[in-house]
């Protein structure tokens, strides 16, 4: 469901009116549906230099293998589903001109919901200033381009660390995610692939087949959407929420054919109870999604101990304690994956949210530091930072503030719980094994925190 | 065996040899919080509540689309439209629509009797899994039309012509229009259950203070159990309630002492039964999941306890031989004797608190030499229980008592207590359930903590 305004300005009189008045005209986003094509048209793959590099050739071959209609140069007036700029060989800012200016005219020919994806190397690993400049230039380029695209088209980038190439499993996994409708509300963002670990799923529509996943805070909102998405992708589910939310939790459990665990995640033994439940009932545990979270907003000048402590307690302290139990357990299956829900508030800050932003900043720090600990057992941990998402939490924001907040991004609309869920499902899959310690924003390129 | 049917069966003649049957295991349970009548569930029907309790159970144990061997449940206050209440609830739940179900009714013993009946089917090998349950709404209770109006309506339906119809209608009198609301009165004595118990309470000389103490313990034990998280995997919230609405965690002996007697007022100064030490009318539903060991193992489900045995008894209260709610006083000695057990072998006593006076009268009878000799045919008193083992996580006085739902509440809670307790003196912990019921009946049962059989 898109919001009412977006529906109104997408058709008929609403569309004309919005045009005349210069009102924002958010597009109806292209979201994933099983069986639909990965992209809405042919894919143009451009390398640096003369447009053909080893990296771009290998990648183009892989895309042909997926059954995509791949172009190495644009045909005049042909509507494109995606443009992929393979910039891994760029060693100087001057080398960006070739591929970027070649792609430029094709931007007018993008189909609605099209994708632009860059593939480049991380600048942090470059010792040479010119190389670093070329690589970091991609960052500014991509984020600006994302703001220029219209009609639900988005631009995102894959960054390659030293251990990764253009056809590493997680490079292809991230690329596939960005191209698909699963990344509808991800815009102007990068995902870094640091290793060649992982594998693409045997069945692209069931990437989590055979996995056992736990989702906290699953009784409603984003958590319920995560449960539905992981179920759709083939996982078996344990859904967790506080006992007082048990009736809604039961409804979600019955919908996704999972088991309900009524549990306050702040309780001392929460980690053990989650592991025991998953192992006893489902024979193991592969994926944990830390989604449960609360807000208790107040200006810091008016903050009290209760508000501060409860937010820190639920949003980050509980995750630390549960992760400790997970890391100490020998009952997890191989390649465990953890995904934590952070917030753009924890990156850019928000007035009235010192406690919340501290907790969500904490999630990001925790994820970075936990990544090496999980790497030892072949696991990964990442965070997803949602921007404005249409849920009960944001429905409580006063109307005017809410209306402004949901338009303040490149897609001019709020995201849906399912959009966050899609990013989480990807990061929980083996295709994302080479991505760890990362924060992916699902915010439509929000002006705050972008 | 018509001959045997008349002879009193002594324990050693019993054909029951436990080992030859499969074991019926309590996997777990689910109930909705119990609500005082006219409260949170005023607008909920029996079917709504039973379906909610089932759906919570299904969610807890991942039984979506599962074909359960059989589901049995019932309600005491039942609308005629609910003739297939349990099956309708199953159809409205997340279970497979191919799950058969039947209704059962044995007044307040309904819930426990569904557990015993289904456990027997499991033991006999007829089914591998079952869900027992019960529900009652005193808020959404059926109201019958008066006998006069009912006769007129039936005749009207049979009348063929307009004049005939008018003639039938002319028989109606204003008094016929007053509805016949249900009450807990005994059809054969006209006395309410409370008035019956008031007589028994006085007969056994149970003090007001002793009754208030039972109520006090019930509230405090139940509140402590909620605080401890004991009910986190036994209760699923419903309609905004996440705890039993009758629960008063802060009640005190002083507060209970201020309440005026509501039953047995004709006894004058001896009237001891108040709204505090009697259960209020309540709405709610409960379910219990049962199965064989193999069925539970195949699904990775817990095995909390084993349903060992059960017994029903009835008393002749109509002629005043025994109090209306005293049947368990006879059922328990018979059940324990058949199983070669005494009170020392029981670690948890779950005696349903219809009224505090019921619990205390029953205990008094067991402790009474004369009762033991003359009524139970023993050498002396049957025995005295350790009060520290009585209703340790609260019972009906605090939780409330939606008639048919009480058995399921007790079985699921006791099974969890037994499991959590661990072995006692090297044997599995054992619990006794005693439930009195209208019509002078009582159903009692023994549960034992699950332990793997030898050699497994
Ligand atoms: N809605 C947004 O726009 C937005 C934006 C950024 C981040 N987030 C984050 O996304 C997550 C989900 O948010 P939502 O909008 O769905 O919120 P929500 O309030 O709708 O749902 C949160 C769920 O978490 C549960 N929960 C709270 N405390 C718990 C505890 N101690 N133990 C177990 N469960 C508990 C709640 O009962 C509830 O069901 C949160 O971490 C939130 O901070 C949301």
């Amino acid at each position: 469901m898109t919001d009412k305004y977006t529906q109104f300005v997408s058709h008929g009189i609403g569309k004309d009116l919005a045009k005349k008045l210069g009102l924002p005209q958010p597009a109806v986003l292209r979201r994933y549906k099983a069986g639909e094509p990965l992209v809405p048209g042919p894919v143009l793959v451009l390398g640096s230099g003369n447009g053909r590099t080893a990296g771009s050739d290998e990648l183009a071959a892989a895309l042909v293998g997926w059954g995509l209609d791949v172009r190495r140069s644009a045909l005049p007036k042909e509507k494109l589903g995606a443009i992929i700029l393979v910039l891994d060989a760029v060693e100087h800012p001057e080398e960006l001109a070739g591929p970027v200016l070649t792609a430029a005219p094709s931007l007018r020919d993008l189909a609605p919901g099209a994708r632009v994806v860059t593939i480049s190397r991380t600048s942090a690993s470059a010792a040479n200033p010119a190389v670093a400049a070329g690589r970091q230039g991609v960052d500014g380029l991509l984020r600006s381009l994302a703001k220029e695209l219209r009609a639900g088209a988005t631009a995102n980038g894959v960054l390659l660390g030293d251990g990764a190439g253009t056809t590493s499993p997680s490079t292809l996994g991230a690329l596939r995610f960005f191209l698909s409708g699963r990344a509808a509300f991800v815009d102007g963002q990068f995902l870094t692939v640091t290793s060649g670990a992982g594998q693409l799923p045997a069945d692209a529509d069931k990437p989590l087949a055979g996995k056992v996943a736990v989702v906290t805070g699953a009784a409603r909102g984003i958590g319920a959407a995560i449960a539905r998405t992981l179920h759709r992708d083939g996982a078996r589910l344990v859904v967790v929420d506080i006992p007082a939310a048990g009736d809604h939790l039961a409804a979600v459990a019955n919908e996704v054919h999972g088991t309900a665990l009524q549990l306050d995640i702040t309780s001392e033994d929460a980690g053990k109870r989650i592991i025991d439940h998953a192992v006893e009932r489902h024979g193991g545990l592969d994926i944990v999604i830390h989604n449960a979270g609360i807000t208790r907003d107040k200006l810091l000048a008016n903050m009290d101990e209760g508000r501060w402590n409860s937010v820190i307690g639920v949003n980050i302290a509980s995750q630390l304690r549960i992760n400790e139990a997970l890391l100490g357990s020998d009952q997890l299956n191989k390649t465990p994956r953890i995904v934590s829900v952070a917030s753009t508030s924890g990156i850019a800050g928000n007035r009235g949210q010192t406690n919340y932003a501290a907790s969500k900043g904490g999630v990001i720090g925790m994820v970075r530091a936990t990544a090496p600990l999980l790497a030892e057992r072949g696991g990964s941990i990442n965070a997803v930072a949602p921007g404005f998402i249409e849920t009960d939490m944001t429905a409580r924001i006063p109307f005017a503030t809410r209306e402004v907040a949901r338009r303040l991004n490149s897609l001019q609309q709020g995201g849906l719980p399912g959009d966050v869920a899609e990013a989480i499902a990807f990061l929980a899959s083996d295709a994302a094994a080479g991505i760890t310690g990362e924060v992916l924003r699902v915010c439509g390129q929000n002006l705050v925190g972008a | 065996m018509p001959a045997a049917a008349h002879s009193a069966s002594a324990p050693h003649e019993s054909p029951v040899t436990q080992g030859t049957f499969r074991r019926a295991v309590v996997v777990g349970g689910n109930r909705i919080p119990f609500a005082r009548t006219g409260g949170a569930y005023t607008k909920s029907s029996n079917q709504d509540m039973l379906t909610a309790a089932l759906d919570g159970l299904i969610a807890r144990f991942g039984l979506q689309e599962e074909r359960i061997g059989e589901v049995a449940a019932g309600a005491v206050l039942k609308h005629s439209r609910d003739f297939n209440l349990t099956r309708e609830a199953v159809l409205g739940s997340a279970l497979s629509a191919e799950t058969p179900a039947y209704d059962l009714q044995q007044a307040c013993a309904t819930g426990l009797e569904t557990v015993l009946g289904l456990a027997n089917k499991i033991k006999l090998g007829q089914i591998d899994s079952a869900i027992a349950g019960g529900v009652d709404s005193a808020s959404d209770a059926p109201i019958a039309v008066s006998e006069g109006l009912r006769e007129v309506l039936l005749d009207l339906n049979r009348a063929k012509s307009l004049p005939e119809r008018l003639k039938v209608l002319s028989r109606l009198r204003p008094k016929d229009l007053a509805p016949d609301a249900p009450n807990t009165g005994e059809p054969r004595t006209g006395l309410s259950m409370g008035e019956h118990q008031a007589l028994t309470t006085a007969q056994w000389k149970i003090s007001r203070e002793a009754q208030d103490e039972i109520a006090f313990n019930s509230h405090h034990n139940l509140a402590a159990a909620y605080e401890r998280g004991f009910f986190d995997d036994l209760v699923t919230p419903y309609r905004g309630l996440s705890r039993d609405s009758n629960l008063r965690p802060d009640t005190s002996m002083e507060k209970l002492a201020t309440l005026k007697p509501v039953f047995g007022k004709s006894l004058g100064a001896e009237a001891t039964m108040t709204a505090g030490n009697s259960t209020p009318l309540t709405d709610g539903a409960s379910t219990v999941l049962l199965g064989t060991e193999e069925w539970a193992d195949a699904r990775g489900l817990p095995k909390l306890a084993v349903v060992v045995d059960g017994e029903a008894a009835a008393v002749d209260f109509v002629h005043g031989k025994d109090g209306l709610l005293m049947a368990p006083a006879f059922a328990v000695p018979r059940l324990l004797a058949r199983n070669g057990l005494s009170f020392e072998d029981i670690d948890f006593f779950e005696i349903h608190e219809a009224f505090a006076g019921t619990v205390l009268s029953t205990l008094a009878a067991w402790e009474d030499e004369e009762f033991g000799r003359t009524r139970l045919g023993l050498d002396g008193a049957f025995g005295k229980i350790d009060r520290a083992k009585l209703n340790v996580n609260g019972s009906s006085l605090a939780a409330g008592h939606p008639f048919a739902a009480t058995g399921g509440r007790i079985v699921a809670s006791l099974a969890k207590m037994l499991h959590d307790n661990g072995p006692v003196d090297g044997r599995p912990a054992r619990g006794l359930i005693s439930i009195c019921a209208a019509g002078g009946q009582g159903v009692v049962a023994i549960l034992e903590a699950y332990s793997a059989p030898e050699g497994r």
Side-chain angles (χ1 to χ4, degrees):
Chain A
M1 269 293 294
T2 17
D3 65 88
K4 290 205 175 71
Y5 177 83
T6 303
Q7 279 172 11
F8 178 68
V9 299
S10 301
H11 310 283
I13 339 174
K15 195 169 172 176
D16 294 343
L17 199 65
K19 237 183 207 152
K20 286 198 185 106
L21 298 176
L23 294 176
Q25 280 184 279
V28 175
L29 302 184
R30 175 172 69 88
R31 292 191 164 88
Y32 171 82
K33 276 196 206 86
E36 289 201 349
L38 185 64
V39 280
V43 181
L44 175 64
V45 179
L46 295 173
S48 48
N50 65 356
R52 304 290 293 257
T53 54
S56 65
D57 285 352
E58 279 166 27
L59 184 77
L63 299 188
V64 169
W66 291 353
L68 292 181
D69 187 1
V70 177
R71 303 269 183 279
R72 300 309 306 268
S73 58
L75 301 175
K77 297 279 165 231
E78 186 186 40
K79 286 282 174 206
L80 289 174
I83 300 173
I84 301 175
L85 298 173
V86 188
L87 308 172
D88 64 311
V90 168
E91 302 215 313
H92 194 284
E94 287 169 353
E95 292 172 23
L96 291 172
V100 167
L101 296 179
T102 308
S106 296
L107 293 171
R108 293 187 204 292
D109 294 329
L110 288 179
R115 302 284 187 255
V116 176
V117 181
T118 60
I119 297 178
S120 59
R121 296 211 160 267
T122 55
S123 64
S125 57
N128 181 308
V131 174
R135 293 179 181 179
Q136 189 68 31
V138 176
D139 189 276
L141 155 72
L142 188 278
R143 291 181 198 274
S144 299
L145 176 56
K147 293 185 180 182
E148 293 179 8
L149 298 178
R150 290 290 173 264
T154 62
N156 294 289
V158 183
L159 291 173
L160 307 179
D162 289 338
T166 56
T167 53
S168 296
S170 289
T171 308
L172 294 177
L175 175 63
R176 201 181 167 99
F177 167 69
F178 283 143
L179 290 176
S180 76
R182 294 175 192 256
F185 198 61
V186 181
D187 199 7
Q189 306 304 318
F190 288 91
L191 269 174
T192 304
V193 180
T194 48
S195 80
Q199 59 189 70
L200 294 181
D203 176 353
D205 286 327
K206 295 276 175 224
L208 301 177
K211 302 284 186 181
V212 178
V214 173
V215 183
T216 68
R220 63 179 204 185
I222 295 173
I226 297 168
R228 288 183 193 111
T229 304
L230 299 186
H231 169 65
R232 179 203 68 193
D233 283 355
R236 276 188 295 151
L237 281 151
V238 176
V239 290
V240 177
D241 213 298
I242 50 171
D247 41 352
H248 298 287
L249 185 69
V252 172
N254 287 343
E255 186 186 335
V256 302
H257 288 205
T259 54
L261 176 58
Q262 299 187 156
L263 169 72
D264 184 332
I265 54 162
T266 62
S267 63
E268 214 46 61
D269 60 348
K272 182 182 160 12
R273 285 174 60 190
I274 286 172
I275 297 167
D276 287 351
H277 180 102
V279 171
E280 278 165 27
R281 302 290 183 77
H282 303 278
L285 178 55
D286 301 277
I287 296 165
V288 174
I289 312 296
H290 292 298
N291 162 77
I294 57 170
T295 51
R296 296 285 182 272
D297 294 2
K298 266 277 168 220
L299 295 178
L300 185 55
N302 304 326
M303 185 68 69
D304 56 80
E305 219 179 302
R307 280 195 169 78
W308 183 274
N309 289 343
S310 58
V311 167
I312 300 290
V314 174
N315 294 6
I316 177 64
S318 70
Q319 296 192 13
L320 285 166
R321 214 173 11 246
I322 292 170
N323 284 357
E324 218 171 283
L326 294 172
L327 286 163
S329 168
D330 53 7
Q331 292 179 289
L332 302 195
N333 293 343
K334 271 187 224 137
T335 69
R337 312 222 174 276
I338 302 176
V339 187
S340 271
V341 180
S343 167
T344 49
S345 181
I347 299 170
N350 247 341
R351 193 180 141 85
Q353 293 200 321
T354 49
N355 52 353
Y356 183 72
S359 74
K360 294 299 189 179
V363 167
I364 294 170
M366 177 273 283
V367 160
R368 285 200 190 112
T370 308
L373 306 177
L374 265 167
E376 289 165 19
R377 51 207 297 175
S380 62
I381 178 168
N382 291 286
V384 166
F388 185 96
I389 305 299
E390 310 279 358
T391 66
D392 292 348
M393 201 184 246
T394 49
R396 283 197 297 269
I397 300 173
F399 174 77
T401 318
R402 185 170 75 230
E403 195 47 35
V404 171
R406 63 156 68 110
R407 305 289 165 221
L408 274 185
N409 62 55
S410 299
L411 297 170
Q412 299 177 326
Q413 57 192 292
L416 301 183
D419 297 333
V420 181
E422 295 286 9
I424 286 172
F426 166 63
L427 291 169
S429 73
D430 286 340
I435 302 168
T436 190
E438 288 287 297
V439 183
L440 176 62
R441 287 194 285 266
V442 181
C443 63
Q445 199 177 27
N446 207 321
L447 295 187
V448 292
Chain B
M1 301 186 298
H6 292 282
S7 74
S9 79
H12 63 271
E13 289 174 353
S14 163
V16 180
T17 42
Q18 285 295 323
T20 59
F21 296 111
R22 309 192 303 176
R23 297 205 284 178
V25 171
V26 180
V27 170
N30 182 58
R31 67 179 177 93
I32 58 175
F34 294 168
R36 284 175 70 108
T37 290
Y41 306 161
T42 304
K43 295 273 183 283
S44 308
S45 68
N46 278 337
Q47 193 183 321
D48 294 339
M49 292 192 286
L50 184 58
T51 308
L54 274 174
D55 271 337
L57 187 83
I58 295 161
R60 181 161 301 136
F61 296 107
L63 304 175
Q64 302 85 8
E65 292 305 317
E66 184 98 31
R67 182 166 66 82
I68 295 294
E70 203 153 29
V71 180
V76 172
L77 299 176
K78 205 166 158 183
H79 290 267
S80 53
R81 64 164 184 264
D82 283 341
F83 64 95
N84 224 354
L85 172 67
T86 311
R87 171 64 181 153
E88 289 300 331
V90 166
L91 283 173
S93 78
L95 287 176
S96 159
E98 292 170 1
T99 298
Y102 64 94
D103 280 26
L104 189 148
Q105 199 183 58
Q106 195 178 20
C108 304
T110 302
L112 183 55
E113 186 56 30
T114 60
V115 171
L116 293 174
L118 291 169
N120 286 345
K121 286 192 175 206
I122 289 174
K123 291 185 196 189
L124 282 171
Q126 294 170 344
I127 50 176
D128 295 332
S129 63
I131 296 173
V135 57
D136 255 295
S137 170
S139 296
D140 185 39
I143 289 188
V145 297
S146 69
E147 205 45 29
L149 178 55
R150 196 176 72 89
E151 278 170 19
V152 167
L153 289 174
L154 287 173
D155 285 346
L156 196 61
N157 202 26
R158 284 186 281 262
K160 289 190 181 65
S161 62
L162 183 62
E164 243 184 282
R165 280 191 203 119
L166 288 174
K167 201 170 147 214
V168 172
L169 274 176
S170 71
R171 282 173 16 213
L172 265 185
R173 295 289 167 268
K175 71 169 170 42
D176 293 334
L177 295 178
D180 232 6
N183 59 49
T184 57
E186 281 295 329
R188 283 171 195 280
T189 60
L191 284 185
S192 75
M193 204 173 256
E195 291 304 327
H196 265 289
Q197 181 58 48
L199 297 176
T200 314
T201 306
Q203 183 203 335
W204 287 100
K205 302 201 169 38
I206 307 298
S207 75
R208 163 79 184 261
E209 204 192 348
Q211 293 174 59
D212 285 352
E213 197 184 336
I214 293 274
F216 174 85
N217 288 341
S218 192
H219 283 279
H220 284 264
N221 288 346
L222 186 72
Y226 268 111
E227 282 310 309
R228 231 175 38 243
F230 178 76
F231 290 109
D232 284 0
D233 58 358
L234 290 170
V235 174
T236 302
Y238 184 60
R239 300 218 171 209
L241 265 197
S242 46
R243 291 186 179 192
D244 309 309
S245 71
N246 187 55
L247 175 58
R248 299 283 173 274
D250 53 353
T251 196
S252 64
M253 287 298 283
E254 292 72 43
K255 268 190 212 164
L256 287 165
T258 61
L259 299 172
K260 290 209 171 61
V262 289
F263 297 116
K265 282 189 263 191
S266 60
L267 298 167
E270 281 180 65
T272 54
M273 291 176 48
T274 67
N277 59 38
S278 311
T279 46
L281 287 175
T282 327
D283 307 334
S286 68
T287 55
V288 178
L289 179 60
L290 302 164
T292 63
E293 293 159 85
E294 291 73 18
W295 185 86
D297 288 344
R299 285 157 186 77
L301 294 174
K303 299 185 290 284
L304 301 181
V306 177
V307 182
V308 176
D309 199 3
E311 174 83 12
V315 293
D316 180 5
F317 69 99
V318 182
H319 301 101
K321 198 168 166 195
D322 289 291
L324 175 70
L325 302 178
M326 290 301 282
F330 298 88
V332 165
R334 295 204 304 243
L335 177 68
L336 291 184
R338 179 161 72 233
N339 286 272
L341 299 171
S342 72
F343 279 159
E344 275 69 55
D345 304 306
I346 305 294
D347 309 299
F348 295 94
F349 290 89
E350 283 294 326
I351 304 184
H352 159 53
E353 299 164 341
F355 304 89
T358 317
V359 177
L360 292 166
S361 301
T362 307
L363 297 184
W366 287 333
E367 289 169 21
D368 190 74
E369 297 260 342
E370 158 111 19
F371 184 85
R373 271 199 311 273
T374 62
R375 307 306 318 284
L376 299 176
L378 303 170
D379 297 337
F382 179 64
K384 193 177 166 88
I385 74 163
D386 177 354
R387 289 289 195 90
K389 298 176 177 173
L390 175 65
N391 299 344
V392 295
N393 285 319
S395 185
S396 306
L397 283 170
H401 169 45
F403 312 119
T406 289
R409 170 184 71 75
I410 295 178
V411 169
S413 292
L414 176 61
K416 180 172 172 177
M417 289 179 225
L418 293 168
H419 173 262
D420 291 355
N421 188 74
V424 179
D425 301 333
R427 59 154 177 87
R430 213 176 271 125
L432 176 72
I433 298 172
S434 162
I435 296 181
C436 57
Q441 306 209 81
V443 176
V444 302
I446 299 170
L447 259 55
E448 200 173 86
Y450 176 83
S451 65
E454 309 276 323
R456 275 180 103 221

